[in-house]
Amino acid sequence: MPQIEQLSRRTPKVSVDELLEGFHPSPRFGEVSFESYRPDPAQPSQAAAVMRLEKFAGAVDHKQPTGLRRFFGGRKQVDSRAGIYLDGGFGVGKTHLLASLWHQVDGPKAFGTFVEYTNLVGALSFRKTVDALGGYELVCIDEFELDDPGDTVLMSRLMRELADAGVKLAATSNTLPGALGEGRFAAVDFQREIQVLADQFDVVRIDGEDFRHRGLPAAPEPLTDLELKRKIHNDYAGKVVAADEFMDLVKHLEGVHPSRYRQFIDGIDVVAWHNVATITEQAVALRFVVLADRLYDKDVPIIASGVPFDQVFTREMMAGGYMKKYFRAVSRLTALAREGQKGETAA
């Protein structure tokens, strides 16, 4: 028999130390390396990116001195900028390379998504976040994206203060740093903050095709509710299954800080959602995107009834300013659903 739990009844309490301990690559990228990355021979920028990152990893051990050391014999900075920025489309291996960099570097370091860092500031406060990360050798920021003016100002300040403290920065995104925020808000009004961000990084372009879309069919057909119940009991004996009414779970997320979503799904082997429905409110949809990312990080299969995952967001959302987030979420939810319902490995 499976052990049935409900995420909609979980409200995790997480300490500061536990939050910081969560800033490492997910199990999906727990053992990757530059050697395990397989550049596409048709895309020479991929092999070039590996070389650039290996060089950057060596520079992390030679941080620019701060304070008095800057004036009295401190080692000169190896690179002119504090960070390296991997720009490319979805699924070309940017996260693999970023995690490989994290694994290669010794010393205190952090790895998290852009959203996780903004959530960390929300949970700790800006100053405590700077104090916590300012002693690190390397801060890796996956899926760098600016969604509103507040995030623009927040992240420009955070990156500037970490760079001034001698912290090396590495980031991935599918948007060039100078173009962050375009299509979401009046980016021209915040060009100074955006330029501060762009000035922190040397940009490395990685070309290629989204591996999650290479021949990947549409989202699998949802199960009926009866099929879902049978699958829980027949296929997941001995597993911990988080079974929830979809809209109950989505509503419950409002009361769980996104910085705690990693702990929120701890110990769960598979999620089972009854009656998946289209989310119509933007704030609710964005919280759900964060949950989808954390489920994908931990490779938690999904089985579900209701609408297929390519209909979980409205058409307006899929064509609006947050479309990149929503397309990424649909891609990841589809992969996890194919794993849960068809036994296919999520890429």
Side-chain angles (χ1 to χ4, degrees):
M1 291 288 292
Q3 178 183 333
I4 306 297
E5 294 200 14
Q6 289 181 285
L7 291 178
S8 55
R9 293 181 179 271
R10 285 188 170 191
T11 307
K13 305 295 182 183
V14 185
S15 69
V16 172
D17 288 342
E18 288 173 325
L19 281 178
L20 293 173
E21 286 171 3
F23 277 78
H24 56 74
S26 69
R28 182 181 296 275
F29 299 102
E31 297 182 359
V32 298
S33 66
F34 292 132
E35 290 73 22
S36 66
Y37 180 74
R38 296 290 179 263
D40 183 346
Q43 303 291 347
S45 62
Q46 294 184 8
V50 174
M51 295 178 64
R52 288 284 299 276
L53 282 167
E54 288 179 325
K55 181 179 179 182
F56 185 79
V60 174
D61 294 328
H62 302 91
K63 290 169 43 176
Q64 183 181 24
T66 58
L68 293 176
R69 290 182 63 242
R70 179 178 296 175
F71 300 100
F72 297 104
R75 188 187 297 271
K76 292 183 179 180
Q77 188 178 15
V78 174
D79 291 328
S80 59
R81 293 186 178 183
I84 193 165
Y85 188 102
L86 306 181
D87 172 64
F90 294 120
V92 297
K94 301 188 303 296
T95 300
H96 182 130
L97 289 173
L98 189 68
S100 299
L101 172 66
W102 187 91
H103 286 300
Q104 181 132 334
V105 168
D106 294 324
K109 53 196 174 181
F111 183 105
T113 64
F114 174 86
V115 171
E116 287 181 296
Y117 285 106
T118 57
N119 289 336
L120 182 67
V121 174
L124 298 186
S125 81
F126 180 84
R127 183 46 49 195
K128 288 183 179 179
T129 301
V130 172
D131 291 343
L133 300 178
Y136 283 31
E137 298 282 338
L138 174 69
V139 168
C140 295
I141 309 154
D142 200 20
E143 298 164 5
F144 206 112
E145 202 58 79
L146 296 181
D147 299 318
D148 57 49
D151 282 349
T152 304
V153 175
L154 173 69
M155 291 306 290
S156 70
R157 283 188 61 203
L158 183 61
M159 296 300 97
R160 183 171 61 248
E161 295 209 19
L162 292 179
D164 288 346
V167 180
K168 286 289 187 178
L169 310 171
T172 72
S173 180
N174 54 14
T175 305
L176 289 169
L180 288 165
E182 288 183 359
R184 290 166 175 76
F185 56 89
V188 66
D189 295 336
F190 295 88
Q191 194 60 48
R192 178 180 177 277
E193 284 78 11
I194 293 171
Q195 191 59 49
V196 167
L197 287 169
D199 287 345
Q200 305 296 334
F201 299 102
D202 286 318
V203 177
V204 176
R205 175 69 188 176
I206 305 178
D207 299 306
E209 182 184 2
D210 183 345
F211 71 85
R212 290 190 298 271
H213 290 167
R214 293 172 192 164
L216 181 67
E221 282 295 316
L223 304 171
T224 67
D225 222 42
L226 180 59
E227 289 171 336
L228 178 60
K229 292 175 182 177
R230 287 176 175 171
K231 195 168 187 65
I232 290 172
H233 289 278
N234 294 339
D235 292 8
Y236 294 101
K239 302 291 187 179
V240 180
V241 180
D244 292 271
E245 280 290 327
F246 182 74
M247 294 312 295
D248 288 346
L249 171 63
V250 168
K251 182 178 180 181
H252 180 67
L253 291 179
E254 185 178 358
V256 180
H257 196 280
S259 65
R260 300 173 180 173
Y261 283 9
R262 284 183 188 266
Q263 292 78 15
F264 183 60
I265 60 174
D266 271 352
I268 299 300
D269 296 314
V270 60
V271 295
W273 289 336
H274 295 269
N275 303 309
V276 172
T278 302
I279 299 171
T280 58
E281 296 180 41
Q282 191 96 270
V284 175
L286 290 173
R287 281 193 294 270
F288 182 65
V289 166
V290 178
L291 178 63
D293 286 340
R294 300 293 78 76
L295 290 170
Y296 185 78
D297 286 346
K298 291 196 172 185
D299 198 12
V300 179
I302 298 172
I303 54 177
S305 65
V307 303
F309 285 116
D310 54 11
Q311 297 177 30
V312 76
F313 306 113
T314 66
R315 291 184 179 180
E316 291 77 14
M317 291 176 183
M318 297 296 288
Y322 298 99
M323 62 181 295
K324 291 178 181 178
K325 285 180 179 289
Y326 295 136
F327 271 99
R328 184 184 74 235
V330 169
S331 177
R332 291 179 168 184
L333 290 166
T334 296
L336 294 175
R338 295 189 67 81
E339 182 176 359
Q341 294 179 198
K342 296 180 175 294
E344 300 178 6
T345 301

